[in-house]
């Protein structure tokens, strides 16, 4: 009888130990699963920087016609039409007055940022004269070392990127823009 009591006591102790270990293992697994879920959520919140639709547009720093340093991120908070152009480009010259008209009407919602391929111009003064004669008031940025144009892999002028308020690329158009296309891409009326 005594032997039976020892075995049942051992079995009971073993059962309690196993139960305790199962509880601790369950808690440990829950903590590990929660940590994995948090890690995946954090990684999903990171934005990919690139040139594809859905990527955050690469930030840059260049100067304005006035010599002021500007970054693309300075324009976040509004939708952005990021346009790459040159004064020697006929389609660029044709679309810029349309961009000015849209900028004047919708500048509370949208900013137009025109990056000039200054490395291809005779001089920055030519760009300044062109802009002043045309009366453009939206930001004109100069790219004298071709960093922006090569960084954005611009092969054809004009090329335009349409960004949301956070700098995420919504669309890209290679070639001349018209008013209808600009309004559609920026969701304007």
């Amino acid at each position: 009888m005594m032997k039976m009591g020892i075995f049942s006591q051992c079995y009971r102790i073993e059962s309690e130990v196993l139960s305790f270990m199962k509880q601790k293992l369950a808690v440990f697994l829950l903590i590990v699963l929660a940590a994995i879920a948090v890690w995946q959520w954090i990684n999903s919140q990171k934005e990919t920087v690139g040139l594809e639709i859905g990527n955050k547009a690469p930030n840059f720093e260049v100067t304005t016609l006035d010599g002021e340093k500007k970054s693309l991120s300075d324009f976040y908070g509004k939708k952005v039409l990021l346009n790459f152009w040159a004064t020697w480009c006929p389609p660029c010259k044709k679309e810029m007055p349309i961009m000015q008209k849209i900028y004047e009407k919708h500048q509370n919602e949208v900013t137009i940022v025109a990056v000039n391929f200054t490395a291809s111009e005779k001089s920055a003064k030519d760009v300044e004269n062109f802009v002043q004669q045309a009366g453009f008031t939206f930001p004109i940025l100069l790219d004298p070392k071709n960093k922006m144009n090569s960084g954005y892999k611009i092969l054809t002028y004009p090329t335009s990127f349409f960004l949301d308020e956070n700098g995420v690329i919504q669309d890209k158009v290679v070639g001349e823009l018209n008013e209808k296309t600009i309004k559609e891409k920026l969701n304007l009326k």
Side-chain angles (χ1 to χ4, degrees):
M1 220 35 74
M2 185 72 146
K3 287 184 182 181
M4 202 59 146
I6 291 176
F7 284 124
S8 75
Q9 251 184 346
C10 286
Y11 179 74
R12 187 179 54 77
I13 292 172
E14 184 179 346
S15 251
E16 288 175 8
V17 168
L18 283 174
S19 177
F20 177 76
M21 288 177 66
K22 283 180 185 178
Q23 287 175 351
K24 295 298 179 192
L25 182 60
V27 168
F28 175 75
L29 288 175
L30 282 173
I31 290 170
V32 168
L33 289 174
I36 290 171
V38 168
W39 181 78
Q40 286 180 335
W41 180 80
I42 289 170
N43 281 336
S44 73
Q45 301 304 305
K46 292 180 182 175
E47 293 176 309
T48 302
V49 175
L51 299 175
E52 301 297 320
I53 293 172
N55 291 165
K56 185 151 187 139
N59 201 13
F60 57 79
E61 185 176 272
V62 291
T63 58
T64 65
L65 285 171
D66 300 327
E68 181 185 354
K69 288 188 183 222
K70 284 286 190 180
S71 296
L72 179 59
S73 58
D74 293 339
F75 301 103
Y76 293 171
K78 295 181 186 179
K79 297 174 193 171
V80 177
L81 166 51
L82 177 61
N83 178 265
F84 293 87
W85 68 286
T87 61
W88 47 260
C89 164
C92 300
K93 290 180 179 182
K94 189 174 174 187
E95 73 181 3
M96 289 185 82
I98 297 167
M99 292 189 301
Q100 178 63 35
K101 177 181 170 186
I102 289 172
Y103 180 71
E104 287 172 1
K105 187 173 181 183
H106 299 280
Q107 62 185 315
N108 290 334
E109 317 166 56
V110 171
T111 193
I112 294 172
V113 179
V115 180
N116 177 264
F117 182 24
T118 317
S120 74
E121 303 283 359
K122 290 179 184 170
S123 73
K125 191 70 175 160
D126 288 346
V127 178
E128 186 177 352
N129 290 339
F130 173 79
V131 170
Q132 285 178 348
Q133 287 174 3
F136 300 133
T137 58
F138 52 84
I140 304 288
L141 306 179
L142 303 177
D143 186 15
K145 295 183 180 173
N146 198 30
K147 288 182 181 177
M148 284 294 311
N149 287 275
S150 62
Y152 272 75
K153 299 180 181 171
I154 305 300
L155 302 174
T156 304
Y157 294 90
T159 296
S160 300
F161 289 86
F162 294 85
L163 314 178
D164 71 8
E165 296 85 349
N166 300 308
V168 176
I169 298 171
Q170 302 302 302
D171 212 340
K172 175 183 175 182
V173 174
V174 176
E176 183 181 328
L177 295 171
N178 59 41
E179 185 174 358
K180 181 181 179 209
T181 301
I182 294 171
K183 285 182 173 183
E184 283 175 2
K185 302 291 182 191
L186 292 172
N187 217 9
L188 301 172
K189 295 183 179 170

